[in-house]
Amino acid sequence: MAEIGEGEETIEGRNIGAMWDLEQKLDQPMDEEAHKLKNMHKEKGLSTLMLLRLAFQSLGIVYGDLGTSPLYVFYNTFPDGIDDTEDVIGALSLIIYSLLLIPLIKYVFIVCKANDNGQGGTLAIYSLLCRNGKLKLIPDEQRSDQELTTYGRTFLPEGSMAAKTMSWLEKKDSRKRALLIIVLVGTCMTIGDGIFTPAISVLSATGGIKVNNPQMSSDTVVIVAVLILVGLFSMQQYGTGLYNIFIYDTSVLKAFSPTYVYMYFRRRGRDGWVSLGGILLSITGTEALYDDIAYFPLLAIQLAFTFFVFPCLLLAYCGQAAYLVQNKDNYANAFYESIPDSIYWPMFIVATGAAVVGSQATISGTYSIIKQAVAHGCFPQVKVVHTSKKFLGQIYSPDINWILMVGCIAVTARFKNQNQIGNAYGTAVAVVMLVTTVLMVLLMLLVWRCHWLLILVFTVLSLVVEGAYFSAVLLKVNQGGWLPLVIAAVLLAVMLVWNYVKIKRYEFQVHSKVSMSWIISLGPSLGLVRVPGIGIVYSELASGVPHIFSHVITNLPAIHSVVVFVCVKYLPVYTVPEEERFLVKRIGSKTFRMFRCVARSTQKDDNFENKLFNNLFSFIQIERMMEPVSNSSNSSSASICSQPHQSREVLINNNDMDMFSSMVDYTVSTMDTIIPLDIPSNATSFCQDRAVDEEETNELEFLRNGRDLGVVHIQGNTVVKARRNSSLPKKIAINYVYAFLKKICRGNNVIFNVPHESLLNVGQVFYV
C-alpha cells in the first residue's frame, strides 16, 4: 500500500475539508444580523410626577405583605403568653433592627439592584451569573445573544479572584448543577410563600371577628377566610400606631436601643431564641418585594419604602408593643384589641382588605418566578397573560393562579391555626433569604466585582442575622415547619426532572441534526416537488437542520415552495425588546426559497406568525437595498451543484441512525454542525448559483401568495422514555412524571396560537 508523504493529502481529505469550509459559510451564527439590531431599543425616562405616582402605587403590590405582618407577629412570638412586660420591649427591639438590616439596607438598597432588567428573585440573580459566565447546563448560547440591549455582560480581568472563581465553576457540570439546585431550592421556597402568605394574612385578619363575637367558633372563621381567599384569587385577572403609643406607654420607644436585644436573650434563654421564629414574620414579604420589582421602577420602590413604609411599620409595631405592655393578656389579638370600639368595624374591613392586597404581592411574585423558570428550562410552559400594556412585568398566569388557590385553601382548612401556618411560613422565608445571600455573594464577586471587604461585611452580617432566624425555625419543624419542606421537595423534583429531560432533548437534537451542506446539495428543488405554500419548521437549534425536516423530505414526495426554519429561543433575560426579537437570514441562493429565523422570546405571543412574516418581508427589502446592482440577482452564499435525486438517495441511505429508538445518552458536539462521514463524491463539485433575474417586488409577491395559499407549521413531537435497563426511580421520573408534565403543558402551537388545522407533528421516540 502506498504511503502518503508529509504535506500531501488525499482527494477524500480535500473533499472533506471543502465540505467543512462550505458548511461554515452556509451555517454561520447570526452575529452580524444581531449586531445590526443592537441598541435599537431605548428605555424612556420617567418624570418626577410619574415617579411619585408609581411610588404611591407600589405600596399595595410590593409592600402589602410587610404591611400585614403586624396582624400576627406578636402572637407568633409569644404563643404561650407574655410573662414579663420587658419581653415585649426586647421583642420590639428585635423587630426594629430586623426591619432596618434586612428589608431596608440589604434588600431595598443592595439586593434590589441585582435585577434582570427590572426583574427580581433568585432566578434573576442566576440569569445575571449565567450571562457573565458559561454556567448554563444547556450550551445554546451564541454571540448573537450578547448583542441584545437587555443582555448586559461584563468581562473579568485575567488572573483576578473573580476570573479564577468563574473558571472553577465553569470547569465541571457538577458545579453548575449544584448552583442550579441551590437556585431552584430558593425558587421553590418562594413559590411556597405564595401559598402561605394569603393563608396566614387572611386568616389573621378574619380572626378579628372573634373579638366582638367571642361565641363564634374557629371553624366559622376558617370558612370566612376560605371565602375571602376564593374571592382574592378570582380577581387576579383584573389586578393606629401613634395613637396607642401616647395612650398606653411611650416608654416602648426605648426599644430603639440595641441593648434590649441582649437583655431579651439573657432573660429568656432558649425560649427567647425559639421566639425568633415569630420575630422573623415581621420581615416576611421582603423576598416578595424583591420578586415584584418588575412591577415598578426601583427608584419608586426605594422612595416608598424609605419615606413611608419603614416609618409606618415602626409606628405600627411600637403602638402594639405599647398596648401589650399594659395589656399583656391580650397577646392573641393585640392588633384588634388595641383598636377603639368606635372604629373597630371600619378597621376590620381595612385590615381584611390589606391582607388581600398584601397577599397579592406574593401571588404576583410567584407569577414572575414561574415565567423565569420556564425561560431557564426548569418548568413546563404555562399560559402567561400581560395585564398591562405599559409595564411588561405585570403578568397573570391562570394555571398557576388556581393551583395556588387550592393550596391556600388546603393549608387554611388543615391547620386552622395561624401559629402553625406562621411556623411553616417562617421556614420558607428563612431558606429563601439564605439562598439569596449565597447568590448575592457570587454576584458581588463575579459581576459587580466589589471590593473583598464589602463582600465580607455583607456576607457576615447577612449570615449572622439570617442564620439565627434559620436555626430558630428549625426547632419548629414538627410544629408546621415541615410543610414548606415537603412542598419545596415536590416542586424541586418537578423542576429537576423537567430540566434534565430538556437537556437530554437538546443534546439529542444537536447530535442528530443534518448538515446544511447536505440540504443545499439537493439543489433548489430539494429533490422533491415544491408545492405552493409556506412551511415553517420549528426547532430548538439556532444552526443546522433539525432531524424532523430530513425525516419529512425523505418520506414525503413534496415540500413547500418556501421553507422557514424557526428557532424559538428562550434567553436568560426577562424581556426581549420587540425591535431586537427576530433574526433572519437566507439559506443558499434565492432559488432555494429557504430562510432561517431565530425568534428570541420570553413570553406568549398570539400574533407570532404576523410578526414573523413582517420581519421576513423587511429582511428581503433590506437585502435588496444592500446588494450591488451587478450582483442583485445572485446570492452571497455558495451552493453545491449536483444531481438532486441522486443526493436525496444518498441522504436516505446515510440516514441510518435510528432516531426513533436511540439507546444512547448523547453528548453535545463542540462543532457548530455535525457532518456525516460518508460524503458523496458528487457533492464536492462547486459552481456559482445560477443567476435569477427577479425583482424584490416579485419575491415579496411570491411570499405573499404562498402565505395566502397556506402556511403549515411543522414541529417535532418527541416522546421521551427511559431505557429498559434504567433504575426504577429514573423510569418513574421520565416515564410517568415527565410524561404527565409534557401532557398538561402548553406546546409551541398553543404558545404561538397556531391553528390546529395548520399543524403537522413529526413523531419520534428518544430513549434516555
Side-chain angles (χ1 to χ4, degrees), residues 344-398:
Y344 170 78
W345 284 110
M347 185 58 71
F348 172 79
I349 294 173
V350 170
T352 305
V356 172
V357 174
S359 302
Q360 168 72 36
T362 308
I363 297 168
S364 303
T366 304
Y367 298 153
S368 299
I369 289 170
I370 293 295
K371 184 174 181 290
Q372 292 179 72
V374 170
H376 282 280
C378 297
F379 203 81
Q381 288 279 4
V382 294
K383 183 178 182 180
V384 175
V385 178
H386 288 262
T387 57
S388 172
K389 294 182 179 179
K390 293 184 178 179
F391 303 101
L392 291 176
Q394 299 186 11
I395 59 175
Y396 159 70
S397 175

Side-chain angles (χ1 to χ4, degrees), residues 68 574 736:
T68 56
Y574 185 67
Y736 297 98

Side-chain angles (χ1 to χ4, degrees), residues 534-546:
I534 297 178
I536 300 178
V537 184
Y538 291 90
S539 169
E540 296 181 16
L541 303 176
S543 62
V545 179

Side-chain angles (χ1 to χ4, degrees), residues 744-758:
I744 64 174
C745 80
R746 299 170 183 267
N748 280 338
N749 57 316
V750 178
I751 298 296
F752 298 116
N753 200 29
V754 177
H756 184 71
E757 60 274 10
S758 301

Side-chain angles (χ1 to χ4, degrees), residues 644-720:
H645 297 287
Q646 183 179 354
S647 296
R648 183 166 180 257
E649 292 295 329
V650 173
L651 179 58
I652 296 173
N653 294 333
N654 281 280
N655 195 18
D656 293 332
M657 186 189 304
D658 187 0
M659 310 313 301
F660 304 96
S661 58
S662 173
M663 300 292 292
V664 244
D665 285 335
Y666 293 116
T667 55
V668 180
S669 170
T670 55
M671 295 188 300
D672 190 38
T673 43
I674 295 177
I675 301 178
L677 296 178
D678 299 328
I679 300 178
S681 57
N682 65 339
T684 60
S685 58
F686 296 92
C687 66
Q688 286 295 104
D689 291 335
R690 290 174 298 177
V692 285
D693 188 15
E694 55 184 4
E695 296 295 329
E696 166 202 342
T697 53
N698 292 340
E699 187 171 17
L700 290 175
E701 190 65 27
F702 185 86
L703 289 175
R704 292 191 179 100
N705 290 338
R707 185 182 182 186
D708 294 338
L709 290 171
V711 177
V712 175
H713 300 259
I714 305 171
Q715 66 176 18
N717 186 14
T718 305
V719 177
V720 182

